[in-house]
Amino acid sequence: MTGIAAATSYSHFARAAPSGSAVVIEAVEQDEDVFAYVSRIKGGFDQTTYQQVIGAANAFKEGDQAIGVGADDEASRANARALLAKTKIRDLYEHPLFDDDLQRLIWQTTDQGQYEQLKDWTMGQLREFLLTEPEERIKAIMGGLTSDTIGFVPKLMSNEELVSLSQKIFNAMPGTKMGSKGYMGARIQPNSPTDHPDDIAWQVFDAFSYATGDIVIGTNPVDSTVQSVAAVERALKDIVDTFELQDVIPWCVLAHIDVQAEVNETFPGTVSTMFQSLAGTDSCNKIFDITNEKILKYARTKKGERYGLYFETGQGSEFTNGAANGVDMMVLEARKYGFSRAVGIELTKVQPEGAWLHVNDVAGFIGPEVFKSREQLVRCCLEDMVMGKLHGLTIGLDICTTLHMTVSLDDLDWCQDQILPANPAYLIALPTKNDPMLSYLTTSFQDHVRLRDKFGFKVNDAMWNFYKHIGIVTEDGSYTSHYGDPLWVYYQYRLAKGDGRSKEAIEAEGRQKMQEVGERGVDLAIGHGANIWDLNAPLAAKVKGLYDDAKQSLWAELTPEFIAAVPDVVPVRTLSKDRNDFIAHPNTGEMLSPEAIRAIEAIRDSWGDDLPKGQIVISDGLNAKAIMDDGHLAPFLVEMRRLLAEAGVTMSDSNIMISSGRVRAGYRVGEVLFENADPNSFRGILHIIGERPGTMHHAYSVYITVAKGKRWSEKDIDHDITKLVSNVADTALTPKEAAKETLTIIREIVGTNVNGSRRFG
């Protein structure tokens, strides 16, 4: 996750999407394929019906239902699959589900010689080939499969068949064992609520103490400004350099790729692997502020380097951003892999040791509007593993869930056990299952230990040798007495730096640093419980407590007393009928009620011709407690208004407070307020919203949207121009410091004319 993409594209904030009825497919005729069926019922080819029939072949997911391409019942689903199985690859190739620049890039990078060999196969024949033939024969034709065709494959397979196929196909990273059969690595994810270098470093030491981490050390930044990202990059680089792992493991700060590029230009040598979130349509990638050519150009900048690019994807991002264009989530996910494959081809031209590119499928990060249950999470991961591998990618998984899904801590263990036989290249790795900054549930360091033991998976050889070198594992592969002891790893780190102090002095310093890390809300795993893969008992109890508090936070509502206490408050609501509607149907929380629109129009009309430069909006979001906790909202409001006044920025006196509000509700407020503003004058919305239940911080974020009056009047404001200050709390990024950072970002935006694309267009 990264910057605004982390908080919105793979997030809990879904853009309104058209709600369609479920697809009904009654009895199909013998030997009828998709196109014959569509022609029979529509009197000729119809693109919408075509998309619906293809989507109806999917296993049930809420996201497909929401855009009207999900099957009405199992009979319709079975009929859709029967039609698809009889359809020729050539006909599907010639009828893309959606045609845009990304589709054309996928066509251009599909091996035409291999395509010619299989174009007359039906999808049923392709399914049979994939399930019965060995890896070498599959790899001989899979370059000839477009992303649409690959996206159709899992529709025709059971979970067991998907596992069987995934067990046959492996795409290793060049010069490593990562992605090879029998290997399962880790991306260490050392996130900090404040981007504190010690929080980040100690989580890496913690990972090393469990012999976990090999493909990348990747931090999600709170602050995506160049200076802050550079500081985190340097902290990661220091660890890699100190342990002389430069040729073994890269590092990455998951800011927007433009920011990473600017960091590398400003501070040469600090950036290793470069990251970006990808979508499956041009329109959604525009929201992410990327284009095909931009990413391909970044691939070319890696000329002569060992490390390349790292992408994150996930089913549902297009639907939640209103950019699915009628295509089901699974095919859109396949198109992201097609994008990745095209970039890999470009990297191969410039990287002497082979293209260093891997993809992390963040399968469960969006929420229940995409899918709700643990069974759906398993299905999604298996589908994505097969599609990624068939694209020739080294693909890992974030087997994860948000706190507003119905997947529990124990459910995640069950999901891991169902998915791991498919042998993903790697999983995410945290000290506990709970991310201290992003506040979602995923894989802990000790989950890796359990899964390696249960399934016999190995860590990349070069990194395993390092774990032997620092005394975490023995020559025979067993764990030493230093297993689960980050203090020991810190001691090894200090020795590698040439620290001549006594072991006692270094450990005393380390204990103090560990205490400070914990006080900032970052839990370190130390030792183990009954089994070596169990958290120690006090930490396990704390994680359970945070999980329980998250559930309470999700259902909390802004109280009338709190609302009334906010100065100059104008309370309004969205279209969400209640909290359940808000959580289950995110688009309702993005649209203002008619009463809210009238109240906001009244504010606008009261200004007359004297329009202020900005408006403050406050929403409960997914965590009303984050707004209502003492010492959270009031200090930010006071300091923010003081700083803006000193800077000469006139602000509306009103504080608009939205109950059941999501990020895009703030955009709608601005479009009402500023629709008649001077077309060439900047106007902005500061949207304070409760987020990330599940940490001790009860943090909120500030979404900063500044645009000229013309853009507001066009009523197309979206995430692509929004910047973010996140993890604001009295125990994290303090409200006063957050206000200062907000003003800095506003100045940066105005200084660059709100151009989110710093490089390559």
Side-chain angles (χ1 to χ4, degrees):
M1 316 317 147
T2 173
I4 195 70
T8 55
S9 61
Y10 295 97
S11 77
H12 313 144
F13 309 108
R15 189 178 191 178
S19 180
S21 57
V23 179
V24 176
I25 301 177
E26 296 178 347
V28 298
E29 296 180 358
Q30 187 175 7
D31 296 329
E32 193 171 43
D33 69 0
V34 168
F35 297 100
Y37 173 80
V38 171
S39 181
R40 176 167 63 84
I41 67 168
K42 301 298 290 188
F45 181 73
D46 179 77
Q47 183 73 15
T48 298
T49 305
Y50 173 47
Q51 292 174 330
Q52 290 172 339
V53 173
I54 295 295
N58 282 358
F60 172 77
K61 298 190 189 81
E62 279 76 10
D64 288 336
Q65 296 291 101
I67 65 168
V69 299
D72 184 63
D73 51 31
E74 286 303 317
S76 293
R77 185 167 291 110
N79 284 335
R81 289 170 175 169
L83 292 170
L84 180 58
K86 296 169 186 172
T87 305
K88 288 189 174 183
I89 291 173
R90 176 184 57 202
D91 295 332
L92 295 164
Y93 181 100
E94 293 172 355
H95 293 83
L97 288 176
F98 182 69
D99 190 0
D100 59 2
D101 285 344
L102 178 54
Q103 176 60 52
R104 287 183 280 279
L105 176 64
I106 291 166
W107 273 327
Q108 291 165 12
T109 51
T110 299
D111 187 302
Q112 290 302 309
Q114 293 182 20
Y115 168 70
E116 288 295 321
Q117 298 176 43
L118 50 84
K119 67 180 182 181
D120 290 323
W121 296 4
T122 64
M123 284 301 303
Q125 288 173 315
L126 176 61
R127 171 188 175 277
E128 188 67 17
F129 177 88
L130 294 172
L131 290 174
T132 57
E133 295 296 330
E135 181 183 34
E136 57 269 23
R137 291 206 65 198
I138 294 172
K139 284 195 168 184
I141 60 96
M142 68 187 195
L145 300 172
T146 66
S147 297
D148 276 18
T149 305
I150 290 174
F152 301 150
V153 167
K155 299 172 189 283
L156 302 177
M157 292 186 180
S158 66
N159 283 13
E160 294 74 20
E161 288 168 336
L162 291 172
V163 169
S164 175
L165 177 54
S166 187
Q167 288 175 340
K168 292 198 293 186
I169 306 171
F170 296 93
N171 307 299
M173 295 287 282
T176 80
K177 291 292 188 179
M178 291 179 289
S180 299
K181 185 178 181 62
Y183 284 78
M184 191 277 292
R187 169 201 154 187
I188 303 171
Q189 185 168 292
N191 291 343
S192 165
T194 57
D195 286 340
H196 198 293
D198 281 355
D199 295 353
I200 292 163
W202 276 90
Q203 288 179 81
V204 177
F205 299 151
D206 202 13
F208 288 174
S209 77
Y210 290 99
T212 296
D214 55 6
I215 197 162
V216 67
I217 307 171
T219 302
N220 299 93
V222 175
D223 179 355
S224 287
T225 59
V226 169
Q227 292 289 338
S228 182
V229 170
V232 178
E233 295 269 16
R234 283 193 289 263
L236 297 175
K237 182 179 188 299
D238 170 69
I239 294 172
V240 172
D241 287 351
T242 299
F243 282 126
E244 298 182 352
L245 295 172
Q246 296 93 332
D247 293 329
V248 177
I249 187 169
W251 66 91
C252 185
V253 178
L254 283 70
H256 190 280
I257 196 166
D258 289 343
V259 176
Q260 296 168 76
E262 192 166 341
V263 169
N264 202 42
E265 288 181 354
T266 309
F267 307 99
T270 59
V271 175
S272 180
T273 289
M274 295 178 73
F275 161 84
Q276 183 55 47
S277 294
L278 298 184
T281 63
D282 290 350
S283 50
C284 195
N285 278 319
K286 180 182 178 183
I287 295 171
F288 293 4
D289 191 22
I290 61 170
T291 63
N292 301 342
E293 187 55 29
K294 174 187 281 192
I295 299 302
L296 290 169
K297 284 183 177 179
Y298 277 125
R300 295 174 198 128
T301 68
K302 305 302 285 184
K303 182 177 181 179
E305 297 184 18
R306 172 168 175 75
Y307 300 121
L309 297 175
Y310 163 34
F311 297 137
E312 284 191 350
T313 68
Q315 287 193 35
S317 57
E318 299 81 14
F319 145 60
T320 59
N321 282 288
N325 298 291
V327 182
D328 65 87
M329 296 191 300
M330 190 158 61
V331 169
L332 290 174
E333 182 72 6
R335 284 164 57 99
K336 298 165 202 174
Y337 303 149
F339 194 169
S340 303
R341 179 170 69 181
V343 175
I345 291 170
E346 201 68 23
L347 274 173
T348 301
K349 300 174 184 176
V350 299
Q351 292 201 298
E353 297 181 30
W356 185 284
L357 181 144
H358 59 96
V359 176
N360 176 30
D361 170 36
V362 188
F365 192 75
I366 296 178
E369 64 270 30
V370 173
F371 57 80
K372 293 181 180 179
S373 71
R374 67 178 194 171
E375 290 80 10
Q376 289 173 308
L377 175 57
V378 168
R379 176 71 190 185
C380 180
C381 287
L382 295 178
E383 291 167 347
D384 295 353
M385 283 296 301
V386 163
M387 293 191 297
K389 288 187 174 188
L390 284 174
H391 277 91
L393 300 173
T394 304
I395 183 167
L397 294 174
D398 195 346
I399 304 174
C400 63
T401 177
T402 62
L403 277 301
H404 61 318
M405 290 173 66
T406 59
V407 181
S408 69
L409 289 162
D410 290 338
D411 286 337
L412 277 183
D413 289 348
W414 179 85
C415 292
Q416 291 166 8
D417 288 349
Q418 306 307 304
I419 295 164
L420 263 293
N423 204 163
Y426 65 97
L427 302 177
I428 296 299
L430 308 175
T432 74
K433 279 183 167 67
N434 188 32
D435 188 291
M437 188 274 276
L438 291 174
S439 185
Y440 76 118
L441 303 179
T442 184
T443 325
S444 73
F445 299 154
Q446 283 163 273
D447 287 330
H448 280 259
V449 175
R450 182 182 75 85
L451 294 169
R452 293 196 302 252
D453 179 80
K454 180 168 184 173
F455 294 100
F457 289 134
K458 300 177 183 179
V459 173
N460 186 38
D461 294 352
M463 201 68 191
W464 193 249
N465 288 335
F466 166 71
Y467 294 135
K468 292 178 182 178
H469 174 71
I470 62 170
I472 300 301
V473 293
T474 65
E475 284 300 321
D476 66 4
S478 58
Y479 298 108
T480 71
S481 60
H482 302 302
Y483 168 86
D485 183 3
L487 190 60
W488 169 260
V489 178
Y490 179 67
Y491 174 59
Q492 298 300 308
Y493 166 79
R494 294 307 313 174
L495 290 181
K497 279 191 168 298
D499 193 331
R501 291 177 295 167
S502 68
K503 184 172 184 287
E504 291 74 17
I506 293 172
E507 288 185 342
E509 177 183 74
R511 289 190 190 94
Q512 177 62 33
K513 287 181 177 291
M514 290 171 69
Q515 180 179 334
E516 293 167 358
V517 168
E519 289 170 352
R520 287 190 292 269
V522 176
D523 293 312
L524 299 176
I526 300 172
H528 57 82
N531 301 301
I532 63 170
W533 47 77
D534 295 333
L535 292 176
N536 67 67
L539 183 55
K542 182 177 182 181
V543 172
K544 176 63 165 57
L546 290 171
Y547 177 84
D548 293 341
D549 179 68
K551 294 301 184 183
Q552 295 173 17
S553 297
L554 279 166
W555 294 97
E557 299 185 58
L558 298 170
T559 65
E561 296 77 14
F562 177 80
I563 294 173
V566 174
D568 300 303
V569 69
V570 178
V572 299
R573 292 193 62 86
T574 62
L575 291 181
S576 296
K577 296 190 292 290
D578 51 33
R579 197 68 182 166
N580 185 66
D581 190 32
F582 174 74
I583 291 172
H585 306 106
N587 60 307
T588 64
E590 299 181 331
M591 297 181 284
L592 301 171
S593 70
E595 297 79 9
I597 293 172
R598 286 194 290 271
I600 294 163
E601 288 174 338
I603 294 173
R604 180 196 64 200
D605 294 344
S606 72
W607 295 338
D609 294 329
D610 188 21
L611 270 68
K613 291 291 186 183
Q615 173 68 55
I616 291 176
V617 178
I618 305 154
S619 291
D620 47 6
L622 289 176
N623 192 353
K625 286 186 175 183
I627 302 298
M628 295 191 293
D629 281 0
D630 289 341
H632 279 205
L633 179 62
F636 179 84
L637 290 179
V638 170
E639 184 69 3
M640 192 75 255
R641 288 188 177 278
R642 184 185 73 80
L643 292 173
L644 289 168
E646 288 181 354
V649 180
T650 57
M651 296 293 291
S652 165
D653 293 333
S654 301
N655 289 305
I656 297 174
M657 180 163 283
I658 306 177
S659 293
S660 297
R662 293 178 180 266
V663 173
R664 285 191 173 98
Y667 305 156
R668 308 292 82 85
V669 170
E671 289 167 354
V672 174
L673 292 176
F674 303 132
E675 64 180 349
N676 297 318
D678 179 347
N680 297 310
S681 178
F682 288 114
R683 294 292 186 275
I685 293 290
L686 299 183
H687 192 175
I688 304 160
I689 187 164
E691 294 188 311
R692 298 175 182 167
T695 73
M696 61 170 269
H697 303 289
H698 286 179
Y700 61 85
S701 294
V702 183
Y703 287 79
I704 306 160
T705 308
V706 179
K708 290 185 177 180
K710 181 178 184 295
R711 182 76 188 266
W712 287 110
S713 67
E714 291 170 349
K715 299 186 184 299
D716 67 344
I717 299 294
D718 208 0
H719 302 319
D720 58 320
I721 66 167
T722 295
K723 305 300 179 185
L724 178 68
V725 176
S726 61
N727 267 57
V728 186
D730 56 344
T731 53
L733 178 63
T734 64
K736 285 190 174 183
E737 288 301 313
K740 293 177 184 176
E741 188 174 317
T742 300
L743 182 61
T744 298
I745 291 174
I746 292 171
R747 284 175 167 152
E748 288 181 355
I749 292 172
V750 173
T752 56
N753 294 320
V754 208
N755 180 6
S757 298
R758 305 181 190 209
R759 294 166 50 86
F760 299 150

